[in-house]
């Protein structure tokens, strides 16, 4: 929406609001409106990789860290007998020892992610689908973590089929873990979490993530870091946010980790991740300056916003060249 005034001029002004987090968020205002709401930026979350027996006390620490912990991978039992709840016996029935743990996760608002190995696309689809059906019928868990995800273009259709199958059967989240950076073709839908990193803290610091990730919500990416340190966990969380990775877990086990315990700095990690959230929702009041006349100017004002920073005005490029310009402190004067 633009101004209508003498000289048949139409223009629009788009304020740009700078937050103290140093991020710049562009918000468009229709000048006939008085207020507009600014949505909060994506916050960081923890998806725990804790392959601990369900009666371990570490699970209590996970429950109490909700909602910063948004999901937890549960490695119960696979048909080959692997998994922290199997005791070496293949999964052919419900493991009742897991029922209280799963219930506590769900009560806390944490999504349990049922671990399923895909062997980089070599496990038949019917086998993987059968394991997910077991998770649903035995535990009421429909959201899977598909480990051993391939990054090959030839396996894209296999993993797309798994995503579709899980979503059709009630999954809230579908996580894929290739253990390394997967190509954009592995982005299957808005309920996916693609783990783009699994390795040491030093390796994470040295990794350059692809630019295409910036076109997706940060909540659709995750990283699991091992050999983490209490002095470095804060930087890991900050780096993840800057890399558009919205889910992180930092462990202190050396490579190769078995993820049997939470890190010694767990409390600090939870605090760092919780503090990495975006700005709170805000309302900006932007009065209409009235009709514009060619050759004259008007003063723009805007108030509100929790950051305390001034609103900085700029001209929307879609207004067309030469229609208007801004000048003065924070662009507060519009020149027609």
């Amino acid at each position: 929406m633009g101004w209508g005034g003498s000289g048949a001029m139409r223009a629009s002004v788009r304020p740009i609001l700078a937050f103290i987090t140093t991020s710049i968020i562009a918000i468009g205002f229709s000048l006939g409106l008085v207020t507009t709401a600014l949505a909060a930026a994506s916050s960081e979350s923890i998806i725990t990789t804790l392959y601990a027996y369900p009666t371990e006390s570490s699970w209590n620490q996970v429950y109490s860290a909700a909602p910063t912990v948004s999901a937890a991978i549960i490695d119960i039992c696979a048909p080959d007998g692997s998994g922290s709840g199997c005791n070496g016996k293949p999964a052919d029935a419900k493991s009742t020892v897991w029922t209280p743990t799963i219930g506590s996760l769900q009560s806390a608002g944490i999504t349990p992610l049922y671990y399923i190995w895909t062997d980089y696309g070599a496990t038949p689809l019917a086998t993987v689908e059968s394991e997910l059906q077991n998770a649903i019928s035995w535990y009421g868990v429909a959201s899977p973590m598909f480990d051993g995800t391939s990054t090959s273009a030839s396996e894209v259709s296999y993993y797309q089929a798994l995503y579709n199958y899980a979503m059709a059967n009630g999954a809230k989240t579908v996580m894929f873990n290739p253990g390394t950076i997967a190509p954009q073709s592995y982005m299957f839908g808005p309920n996916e979490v693609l783990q783009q990193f699994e390795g040491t803290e030093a390796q994470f610091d040295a990794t350059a993530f692809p630019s295409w990730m910036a076109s997706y919500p940060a909540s659709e990416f995750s990283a699991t870091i091992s050999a983490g340190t209490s002095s470095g966990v804060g930087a890991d969380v900050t780096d993840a946010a800057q890399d558009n990775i919205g889910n992180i877990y930092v462990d202190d086990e050396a490579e190769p980790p078995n993820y049997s315990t939470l890190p010694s700095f767990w409390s600090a990690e939870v605090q760092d991740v919780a503090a990495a959230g975006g700005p709170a929702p805000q309302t900006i009041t932007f009065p209409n300056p009235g009709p514009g006349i060619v050759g004259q100017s008007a003063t723009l004002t805007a108030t509100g916003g929790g950051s305390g920073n001034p609103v900085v005005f700029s001209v929307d490029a879609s207004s067309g060249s030469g229609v208007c310009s801004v000048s003065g402190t924070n662009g507060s004067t519009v020149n027609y």
Side-chain angles (χ1 to χ4, degrees), residues 228-270:
T229 61
S230 58
S231 61
V233 64
D236 295 334
V237 173
T238 299
D239 290 346
Q242 292 175 345
D243 291 328
N244 200 48
I245 296 173
N247 303 286
I248 187 172
Y249 177 63
V250 184
D251 199 7
D252 57 1
E253 295 181 5
E255 285 286 313
N258 58 21
Y259 302 116
S260 60
T261 61
L262 291 174
S264 59
F265 47 76
W266 172 249
S267 295
E269 179 173 346
V270 172

Side-chain angles (χ1 to χ4, degrees), residues 1-4 11-13 28-36 286-290:
M1 183 183 298
W3 279 299
S12 63
V13 173
F29 289 87
S30 297
L31 295 184
L33 299 178
V34 176
T35 63
T36 187
F286 180 48
N288 189 329

Side-chain angles (χ1 to χ4, degrees), residues 191-218:
N191 299 94
E192 176 181 2
V193 174
L194 181 62
Q195 182 138 296
Q196 290 288 66
F197 180 84
E198 192 174 61
T200 67
E201 188 173 70
Q203 291 169 334
F204 183 70
D205 292 342
T207 299
F209 293 93
S211 59
W212 60 260
M213 288 173 55
S215 61
Y216 294 85

Side-chain angles (χ1 to χ4, degrees), residues 142-327:
S143 295
M145 192 282 268
F146 293 123
D147 200 9
T149 298
S150 174
T151 58
S152 170
S154 63
E155 302 294 345
V156 169
S157 60
Y158 171 96
Y159 288 100
Q160 178 71 70
L162 287 181
Y163 177 84
N164 295 343
Y165 183 83
M167 293 304 301
N169 282 274
K172 177 182 178 181
T173 301
V174 182
M175 185 173 182
F176 295 93
N177 180 28
T180 188
I181 296 174
Q184 189 173 3
S185 57
Y186 275 74
M187 299 301 295
F188 303 124
N191 299 94
E192 176 181 2
V193 174
L194 181 62
Q195 182 138 296
Q196 290 288 66
F197 180 84
E198 192 174 61
T200 67
E201 188 173 70
Q203 291 169 334
F204 183 70
D205 292 342
T207 299
F209 293 93
S211 59
W212 60 260
M213 288 173 55
S215 61
Y216 294 85
S219 60
E220 295 185 28
F221 302 104
S222 65
T224 295
I225 300 171
S226 56
T229 61
S230 58
S231 61
V233 64
D236 295 334
V237 173
T238 299
D239 290 346
Q242 292 175 345
D243 291 328
N244 200 48
I245 296 173
N247 303 286
I248 187 172
Y249 177 63
V250 184
D251 199 7
D252 57 1
E253 295 181 5
E255 285 286 313
N258 58 21
Y259 302 116
S260 60
T261 61
L262 291 174
S264 59
F265 47 76
W266 172 249
S267 295
E269 179 173 346
V270 172
Q271 292 175 4
D272 288 337
V273 172
Q282 303 180 66
T283 298
I284 308 298
T285 302
F286 180 48
N288 189 329
I293 300 175
V294 174
Q296 295 188 8
S297 61
T299 299
L300 303 175
T301 62
T303 59
S307 71
N309 285 356
V311 176
V312 179
F313 295 92
S314 65
V315 179
D316 188 341
S318 64
S319 299
S321 177
V323 173
C324 61
S325 62
V326 291
S327 59

